[in-house]
Amino acid sequence: MKIIFTCLVISLCCIYGCSQPEMKVNVPDAVENKFMTMYPNAGNTSWEMEDGKYEASFKENKLETAAVFNADGTLFQTENEIAISGLPQSVGDYMAGEMGKKKITGATKIVSASGITTYEAEVGKTDYVFDASGQYVGVENEEEATEDEDD
C-alpha cells in the first residue's frame, strides 16, 4: 500500500511540476489605455501575446472579439466572430468545391488598422483565409500558431 501511495504522490508531483502555469501578460499602459478608449464596456477581457503584439479577447454583442495592439498602443487589427452566412458567397463556393463534405464551423472577419479586410473560415483546426472579395489567400493551422506562441 505504501508503494502505491508513493507512486501516486510521485506521479502527481511530476504532473504538477511539468504543467505550464498560465502566464500573466504585462500589458503596457499605452495599450491598456487605447483598449479602454475603444472598448469602454468590454468586460471579462483576457490578454495574450501574439507575434510580439498584445491581443485582448472579449465578447461584444455576444460574439467573440479580439483587438490586437502594437506595444506603443496603436491598433494593429480587430478580429470579430461572424455568422457563417456573413462570409462572402465565393468563400462558400470555394469551400464546397475544395472541402467536399467538411463543414465550416466558425467564421471571423479581420480588419487591419489600415482598413484591409480578410475573412477566416474555420474547418477543424485549420483556418482558410480569404481576401475582402472572398478570394482564397491561404491557410493557417491553429496548432502551429499555438505552438509558435508557446516558444
Side-chain angles (χ1 to χ4, degrees), residues 7-78:
C7 289
L8 180 62
V9 170
I10 291 171
S11 296
L12 289 174
C13 288
C14 288
I15 291 170
Y16 180 75
C18 294
S19 66
Q20 294 180 352
E22 188 173 312
M23 300 288 289
K24 181 173 173 26
V25 176
N26 189 12
V27 181
D29 290 340
V31 173
E32 206 163 311
N33 292 337
K34 181 66 172 187
F35 174 76
M36 292 304 297
T37 300
M38 292 179 68
Y39 302 99
N41 298 319
N44 203 18
T45 303
S46 63
W47 288 92
E48 65 182 56
M49 291 293 293
E50 181 178 287
D51 298 327
K53 296 178 179 19
Y54 296 87
E55 180 175 325
S57 298
F58 56 100
K59 288 203 179 225
E60 184 174 54
N61 300 323
K62 299 181 181 179
L63 296 173
E64 292 293 325
T65 302
V68 182
F69 297 90
N70 294 311
D72 65 359
T74 57
L75 180 68
F76 178 72
Q77 70 183 21
T78 57

